[in-house]
Amino acid sequence: MQALVLEQKGKLALREIDLPLNVGPGDVKIEIDTVGVCGSDVHYYTHGAIGPYVLREPMVLGHEAAGIVVEIGAEVKNLKVGDRVCMEPGIPNLSSRASKLGLYNVDPDVRFWATPPIHGVLAPYTVHPAAFTYKLPDNVSFEEGAMVEPFAIGMQAATRARLQPGDVAAVIGAGPIGIMVALAALAGGCARVFISDLSADKLKIAAQYPGIIPVNIREKAFADVIAEETPGWGADVVFEASGSPKAYQGMFDLVRPGGAFVLVGLPVEPVPFDVASAISKEVRIETVFRYANIFDRALELIASGKVDLKPLITGTFDFSQSIAAFERAAAGHASDVKLQIKLKP
Ligand SMILES: [Zn+2]
């Protein structure tokens, strides 16, 4: 079938490729409807690698997907043909030690869509374990379904933060993931979420949500704003969602004594870390790698209307325009949050 194939760094093709579509007893076959273009997909396109994951042979891109069930395996009980679904892109080994601990996201054996050498789902069909396929509530569209994956990262960050009602949060970076983190922090009970960036366009998108307060660090240091707004105390939780090494300079000035610092953004190089400052405030440091046991709760929040991801879908392309979608994403327009590709007209 036709798929969007990353042939090598910088070279995409929409072409025929053989992908296995045999439906095992616990699997469902899904006709793909919508796929979001993720920063990681774009990074493989522009750089050919992310950290230890290096593209060595052609790979189908795409891992933020929703579609419709067209076939089910003999043992599948939770889904039926015709169900509208979204999918969790990582398939762990369910008998691994990590999975038994509930930490299947850090199972070393996890097979994750569009992470070399595993193919993604920018293709008309895929086969996936029913256990990692989630029925969309009737009022959740395919487009929103394809947003669950990036939102799940925000939800994982909020979960790792162990938020309490009325917390004040600070989010560094107003890119797609920063906004997802801010929305999840609000949904998790934060009273106010400050978000920082250099880009007025990105901040404007974040600030359309009541409760999210933009801070342009070209105009004012984030730590100064947090100090003013929390009379010198600091944010209960700080989320690092920029991946910028600069975010680590003075990072603990933002957080209150005994607060939490949650690392979400992936710096491309090792960063210096001020251990003494962390210790003097007894800061709790948490890290986020993808998500585990989040999709059901993300769908609950979206269906309830408490979280509206629709304004973040800023561009839609037909499948035949997939390469143009990636070129657009690689250009990195500040006003683009999430671009999506529609497989079905
Ligand atoms: Zn993604």
Side-chain angles (χ1 to χ4, degrees):
M1 60 188 163
Q2 281 258 308
L4 184 70
V5 181
L6 180 59
E7 307 280 9
Q8 59 192 62
K9 174 181 150 180
K11 187 162 180 256
L12 287 166
L14 198 55
R15 63 149 163 106
E16 286 292 318
I17 187 169
D18 254 345
L19 298 172
L21 285 176
N22 39 319
V23 180
D27 294 336
V28 292
K29 183 175 172 184
I30 300 141
E31 185 176 13
I32 303 288
D33 186 285
T34 305
V35 179
V37 176
C38 180
S40 69
D41 295 310
V42 175
H43 201 82
Y44 283 120
Y45 171 43
T46 54
H47 290 74
I50 295 180
Y53 302 102
V54 179
L55 183 80
R56 297 190 198 283
E57 36 195 288
M59 177 180 80
V60 177
L61 289 174
H63 64 261
E64 302 178 357
I68 190 158
V69 174
V70 292
E71 190 181 333
I72 64 169
E75 289 165 14
V76 172
K77 300 271 188 287
N78 61 324
L79 294 166
K80 57 183 191 315
V81 170
D83 280 347
R84 299 160 58 257
V85 293
C86 66
M87 293 75 80
E88 197 168 343
I91 308 171
N93 170 359
L94 286 177
S95 40
S96 72
R97 195 161 173 175
S99 294
K100 286 194 287 182
L101 286 167
L103 307 168
Y104 64 83
N105 53 322
V106 288
D107 176 10
D109 290 339
V110 71
R111 295 164 53 84
F112 197 94
W113 284 342
T115 299
I118 310 299
H119 285 304
V121 290
L122 267 162
Y125 294 95
T126 195
V127 171
H128 203 59
F132 292 90
T133 303
Y134 301 84
K135 189 173 190 302
L136 298 179
D138 289 343
N139 65 342
V140 175
S141 66
F142 287 119
E143 293 77 19
E144 292 170 280
M147 294 290 274
V148 170
E149 196 275 340
F151 182 54
I153 296 164
M155 292 273 295
Q156 178 84 356
T159 305
R160 302 284 287 165
R162 290 185 242 144
L163 296 170
Q164 296 187 52
D167 271 351
V168 173
V171 179
I172 303 169
I177 293 298
I179 295 175
M180 296 294 181
V181 168
L183 290 173
L186 279 179
C190 283
R192 292 184 290 166
V193 178
F194 294 86
I195 190 165
S196 72
D197 209 283
L198 294 159
S199 160
D201 286 337
K202 290 183 181 177
L203 289 167
K204 198 171 140 200
I205 293 162
Q208 70 189 300
Y209 292 98
I212 299 183
I213 303 140
V215 176
N216 193 326
I217 56 173
R218 284 191 200 281
E219 291 159 14
K220 206 157 192 191
F222 201 21
D224 291 347
V225 174
I226 297 299
E228 274 166 31
E229 295 285 341
T230 60
W233 178 235
D236 297 293
V237 179
V238 180
F239 296 93
E240 202 311 285
S242 72
S244 165
K246 287 198 185 114
Y248 286 78
Q249 294 165 9
M251 62 197 271
F252 296 113
D253 294 346
L254 293 165
V255 66
R256 71 160 167 86
F261 208 102
V262 183
L263 306 177
V264 190
L266 210 57
V268 291
E269 59 205 46
V271 290
F273 203 90
D274 183 356
V275 175
S277 294
I279 286 178
S280 66
K281 286 185 171 176
E282 208 171 65
V283 173
R284 177 166 56 86
I285 295 165
E286 301 279 353
T287 57
V288 172
F289 185 67
R290 298 172 181 157
Y291 33 72
N293 300 308
I294 293 286
F295 267 49
D296 291 298
R297 287 184 291 123
L299 281 169
E300 285 286 349
L301 277 174
I302 296 166
S304 74
K306 286 189 174 149
V307 171
D308 182 7
L309 302 177
K310 292 188 292 292
L312 304 177
I313 303 167
T314 49
T316 305
F317 293 73
D318 284 341
F319 188 37
S320 62
Q321 298 300 309
S322 294
I323 295 175
F326 271 78
E327 280 165 1
R328 168 96 193 180
H333 296 275
S335 54
D336 285 347
V337 184
K338 181 58 67 182
L339 305 178
Q340 291 188 329
I341 296 171
K342 291 291 286 180
L343 278 283
K344 288 175 75 176

